[in-house]
Amino acid sequence: MRKIVTKWIVLAAVTLLLIVTFYNATRSTDSKLSTSNKSRWSIPTYPDIIAAERSNVNGGIRVLADNGKVKEVAPEPKESASKPKKSSSNEEYFFVIMTKSLPQDEADRRLLREQSWLSVDWKDDEGREISWKHVFFVGLSMDEAWPRERALRENEKYGDIVIIPTLDMQTRLTFKLMKALQHAIDSYKFTFLIVVDEDTIVNVNGLNRHLLGIVESGKASMFYGGYECDKKPVFRGGKFANSVEKWPPNMYPRFCTGTGVIYAFDTIVELCDVWDHDRQPNLDIDDTHQGVLIWMSGKIEVTEISNITRGCMAHRSDTFIVTQIKPLSKGVQLMNNFLDNGVYCETHVRGH
């Protein structure tokens, strides 16, 4: 009888050992990285992201070591050509707004300039001029009907087009945005940069007021804020997908959606310095990739701004900063409503 009991105990122990071994061998990519990814770019697990965000970071870039622990390493030196540099431009503004646009969206850009928020002569609360600039940034069209020369002609007429030297397609959004950020710090002097989607309207006076508040609070350095996403799941299919090869974890680090994002000048310098498109996999979705760069930097805190919203029309004119609205024709209506409800400006756009 004792032999039978001993036999069953040994069998149970062996079975348990096999189960544990099988579990460890088939763990999710969230907790185990492939050798190929480690050799290119150390990709963290989501628990490690949370742990690192709670730790004190004194420079360098966060990576995942072979033992699974988060550590910091000095960033590898890059060629001088890819290093961001401070602007030598004489153009100086309190803030610059850059609107994402497609080369073929000429009609939408015209509507924004002539009938929506870009047509307003914005003033601050005291009726003074606001120190700001606006540009659209577009990539290169794959449609032969929209050659680069067409965008150049539009820029000659309006002076507000920045052409990014990359194909304007879904899988190049990250490269397009990072090159736009590099263009901004190379071309203008500013305290803040705001990147917005084309299907948005901006209350420039409210934005100016909000940014002044950030400066007065002493939080302008390394500022990054907008409509925040936390614990956002990774889609593996569809328009907003990222592959397992590029990002194995099932969650993204914290980031702000592309509706409207506010950057301080030094934040952009830091992001461009961390970004190395030759070594890192560029996530196809630009705003999620910003979250990865922020995680890697360890110097930037994600700030939620409740006055930057998506798809909501019930804002008061004295608190609204950026809101997403589709189609753009509805944005014209909404813009007129804001003007009627007390946004200070000299030119009221009507009859469109």
Side-chain angles (χ1 to χ4, degrees):
M1 182 67 179
R2 185 177 297 175
K3 290 183 179 180
I4 295 174
V5 172
T6 303
K7 179 180 178 181
W8 279 107
I9 291 174
V10 171
L11 183 61
V14 171
T15 302
L16 181 61
L17 180 62
L18 289 173
I19 291 173
V20 171
T21 303
F22 177 79
Y23 171 77
N24 288 332
T26 58
R27 290 177 67 183
S28 161
T29 52
D30 272 344
S31 57
K32 187 172 183 179
L33 305 178
S34 69
T35 304
S36 59
N37 276 333
K38 281 186 180 180
S39 64
R40 280 199 309 144
W41 188 49
S42 296
I43 299 180
T45 68
Y46 194 72
D48 291 311
I49 292 171
I50 299 302
E53 286 176 343
R54 293 174 179 168
S55 66
N56 294 320
V57 178
N58 299 311
I61 294 177
R62 295 166 171 171
V63 300
L64 198 63
D66 290 339
N67 62 3
K69 302 294 184 182
V70 173
K71 68 176 183 178
E72 295 171 33
V73 296
E76 293 184 10
K78 306 175 192 173
E79 296 179 4
S80 57
S82 64
K83 278 280 189 182
K85 60 181 183 296
K86 291 194 174 182
S87 171
S88 58
S89 170
N90 292 324
E91 294 186 68
E92 188 167 356
Y93 309 95
F94 180 40
F95 60 90
V96 175
I97 301 177
M98 301 186 78
T99 298
K100 303 175 191 176
S101 187
L102 295 172
Q104 60 268 30
D105 287 352
E106 280 183 329
D108 289 342
R109 290 191 289 273
R110 189 181 310 115
L111 185 147
L112 288 170
R113 294 187 192 104
E114 298 176 0
Q115 301 180 36
S116 190
W117 63 276
L118 288 176
S119 67
V120 177
D121 184 14
W122 294 98
K123 306 291 183 181
D124 69 10
D125 292 335
E126 304 300 323
R128 297 169 300 197
E129 296 291 333
I130 298 174
S131 175
W132 71 293
K133 180 182 180 66
H134 173 269
V135 294
F136 295 97
F137 65 100
V138 303
L140 303 175
S141 177
M142 295 183 291
D143 186 345
E144 294 181 359
W146 303 91
R148 181 173 180 271
E149 289 71 22
R150 189 160 179 167
L152 290 173
R153 288 196 299 271
E154 184 180 355
N155 187 53
E156 287 176 3
K157 181 176 180 180
Y158 296 103
D160 63 355
I161 303 289
V162 174
I163 301 175
I164 306 300
T166 187
L167 288 176
D168 213 322
M169 55 192 296
Q170 188 74 15
T171 56
R172 300 294 287 171
L173 291 178
T174 290
F175 191 87
K176 177 185 174 183
L177 175 59
M178 293 306 300
K179 285 299 182 182
L181 294 179
Q182 286 185 336
H183 169 85
I185 60 176
D186 289 348
S187 304
Y188 318 117
K189 295 177 181 177
F190 56 85
T191 304
F192 295 103
L193 175 77
I194 300 87
V195 178
V196 299
D197 284 340
E198 193 175 55
D199 55 353
T200 58
I201 58 175
V202 182
N203 176 353
V204 177
N205 180 32
L207 176 60
N208 181 66
R209 187 188 309 120
H210 188 89
L211 296 178
L212 287 171
I214 294 174
V215 173
E216 291 170 2
S217 70
K219 298 180 179 179
S221 179
M222 288 295 177
F223 187 87
Y224 169 89
Y227 186 93
E228 184 192 1
C229 284
D230 187 20
K231 298 184 179 178
K232 182 77 172 178
V234 180
F235 296 116
R236 299 305 184 192
K239 180 179 178 181
F240 300 107
N242 273 304
S243 66
V244 174
E245 290 74 24
K246 289 187 175 182
W247 187 251
N250 289 327
M251 295 285 185
Y252 290 116
R254 281 200 290 268
F255 67 94
C256 294
T257 69
T259 301
V261 181
I262 298 175
Y263 304 83
F265 189 99
D266 57 355
T267 303
I268 300 174
V269 172
E270 172 67 11
L271 291 176
C272 291
D273 193 42
V274 172
W275 182 56
D276 185 348
H277 64 89
D278 291 329
R279 290 194 311 120
Q280 302 165 0
N282 289 297
L283 273 62
D284 292 343
I285 311 303
D286 50 358
D287 49 13
T288 58
H289 189 261
Q290 297 278 289
V292 172
L293 294 180
I294 287 169
W295 183 87
M296 291 180 67
S297 164
K299 301 176 183 178
I300 304 165
E301 183 177 346
V302 179
T303 302
E304 183 173 9
I305 302 176
S306 60
N307 299 342
I308 296 178
T309 62
R310 302 174 66 188
C312 179
M313 297 180 64
H315 299 289
R316 288 172 51 84
S317 59
D318 58 344
T319 60
F320 144 76
I321 294 178
V322 179
T323 191
Q324 183 185 50
I325 190 71
K326 296 180 180 181
L328 284 177
S329 57
K330 277 191 177 180
V332 174
Q333 273 186 324
L334 185 56
M335 190 74 253
N336 290 337
N337 291 338
F338 282 130
L339 297 177
D340 286 338
N341 290 329
V343 174
Y344 187 89
C345 62
E346 291 185 346
T347 303
H348 285 227
V349 184
R350 292 294 177 272
H352 299 293

